[in-house]
DNA sequence: GTCTATACGAGGATAGAC
DNA sequence: GTCTATCCTCGTATAGAC
């Protein structure tokens, strides 16, 4: 139980940013939810830029671990694809989209170090998806046209976009499911 | 030439919001670019909420007109689809994504009146795309699975998501093209 | 590590002169 | 219609006591 204050701050900050965006989150918000004063946050993270940079880095590394676990599981490619999509759906149940999807929208106002973390996140995801698609093609389950790379990019775009669209629905998670699942079913089932 | 100040303010505000988001735009920004004082903006738009509401309404109506023009043109369904996609690409040349895509990310911090405008925008787009897809299916050009409605949702999601992803690339317009065009080609060509 | 106190700028908004 | 002047709140950040 090494649940220190720094982790608590990042947890709260992540909730706020995923829900409201980079420009609309403040030390005051964190202060209230963590239960310490604004000034105390600066002890753990000297500036807002540093805080967000650490936040995105942690998020990216966590996502990489989660994806690695999915990949090394015994699940079939189509099950892996569904597990991956579910990562996005789950956040929507609390009105949260992917941290990096939100920050991609805010890209123009981000400090350069954070911009680089975002780019790396999407690169990692694209590589992971490409690998999964390649496996499905090798197993003769799927047929990726015109290429696995192209299919991976298209899938990423659809998932990111579906989250955005789901935000403006009353039940975001349901809207996401209705949009994404039939498409995944049609393209990446193993029936 | 009835290019009054109110229109100038909205033009500038639109550029800023599409580039930086709702929370990161201010009266000071508009003031500088329009060449009037902050206080003068309040004469045209009493509050920030009113300004953004007028902005989204104008954007939605303009988009509806543009789409109507595409629909009533002599262009074939696949050409219409390309023209539609190009609307999104064009903004990226100035680092701008669809106003409503940006505001969908900021949805949680928007005043209710603006939220309703956003929802209406996406509804309008979805109806328009569904109509186009239905026409293509009627003409035996395309085959929409599992349904035209589903295909329309998926297309919207991909286009919105492709814009987001393109933001973090150096050349956003090029990244958008490389992601979207091959997919449109594969699905909605008339060859 | 967390606190109080404070600096300093930027935010939206209003009153009233011109 | 646009200006100056001003208000009040909130933003990040720092100094120094405990």
């Amino acid at each position: 139980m090494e649940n220190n204050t720094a982790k608590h701050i990042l947890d709260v900050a992540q909730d706020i940013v995923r829900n409201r965006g980079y420009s609309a989150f403040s030390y005051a918000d964190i202060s209230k939810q963590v239960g310490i004063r604004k000034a105390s946050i600066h002890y753990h993270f000297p500036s807002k830029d540093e805080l967000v940079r650490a936040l995105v880095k942690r998020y990216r590394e966590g996502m990489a671990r989660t994806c690695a676990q999915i990949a090394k599981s015994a699940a079939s490619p189509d099950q892996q694809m569904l597990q991956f999509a579910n990562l996005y759906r789950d956040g929507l149940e609390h009105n949260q989209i992917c941290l990096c999807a939100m920050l991609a929208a805010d890209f123009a106002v981000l400090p350069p170090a954070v911009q680089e973390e975002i780019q790396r996140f999407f690169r990692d995801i694209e590589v992971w998806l490409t690998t999964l698609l390649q496996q499905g093609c090798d197993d003769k389950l799927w047929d990726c046209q015109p290429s696995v790379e192209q299919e991976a990019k298209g899938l990423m775009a659809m998932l990111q976009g579906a989250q955005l669209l789901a935000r403006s629905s009353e039940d975001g998670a349901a809207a996401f499911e209705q949009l994404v699942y039939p498409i995944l079913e049609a393209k990446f089932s193993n029936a």
Side-chain angles (χ1 to χ4, degrees), chain A residues 15-89:
Chain A
D15 282 0
I16 300 174
V17 176
R18 289 179 67 179
N19 187 252
R20 311 215 296 254
Y22 175 80
S23 307
F25 107 99
S26 71
Y27 276 45
D29 298 321
I30 298 175
S31 169
K32 282 178 210 141
Q33 293 186 45
V34 174
I36 58 174
R37 297 284 153 179
K38 285 195 294 175
S40 307
I41 302 171
H42 287 278
Y43 171 80
H44 301 279
F45 302 96
S47 72
K48 190 179 176 182
D49 287 3
E50 278 299 305
L51 193 160
V52 175
R53 200 190 148 284
L55 179 60
V56 180
K57 182 168 183 291
R58 188 186 72 154
Y59 187 83
R60 177 175 57 72
E61 291 170 351
M63 187 69 169
R65 269 194 301 276
T66 303
C67 287
Q69 280 177 357
I70 294 176
K72 80 176 180 190
S73 73
S76 61
D78 63 295
Q79 285 171 330
Q80 291 189 27
M81 182 68 78
L82 188 61
Q83 286 178 51
F84 179 76
N86 284 347
L87 297 178
Y88 292 95
R89 184 209 55 185

Side-chain angles (χ1 to χ4, degrees), chain A residues 81-100:
Chain A
M81 182 68 78
L82 188 61
Q83 286 178 51
F84 179 76
N86 284 347
L87 297 178
Y88 292 95
R89 184 209 55 185
D90 294 345
L92 286 166
E93 287 173 355
H94 312 287
N95 242 318
Q96 294 183 344
I97 65 174
C98 167
L99 177 68
C100 292

Side-chain angles (χ1 to χ4, degrees), chain A residues 132-159:
Chain A
L132 174 60
L133 288 172
Q134 186 62 56
Q135 189 191 330
C137 289
D138 291 346
D139 293 357
K140 310 287 183 195
L141 291 172
W142 307 327
D143 178 38
C144 292
Q145 290 301 334
S147 67
V148 286
E149 289 79 10
Q150 190 71 46
E151 191 84 65
K153 285 178 194 287
L155 256 175
M156 279 181 68
M158 188 196 65
L159 290 170

Side-chain angles (χ1 to χ4, degrees), chain A residues 177-189:
Chain A
E177 290 174 13
Q178 287 169 22
L179 194 162
V180 169
Y181 288 6
I183 294 174
L184 291 186
E185 192 90 13
K187 278 184 140 172
F188 303 110
S189 70

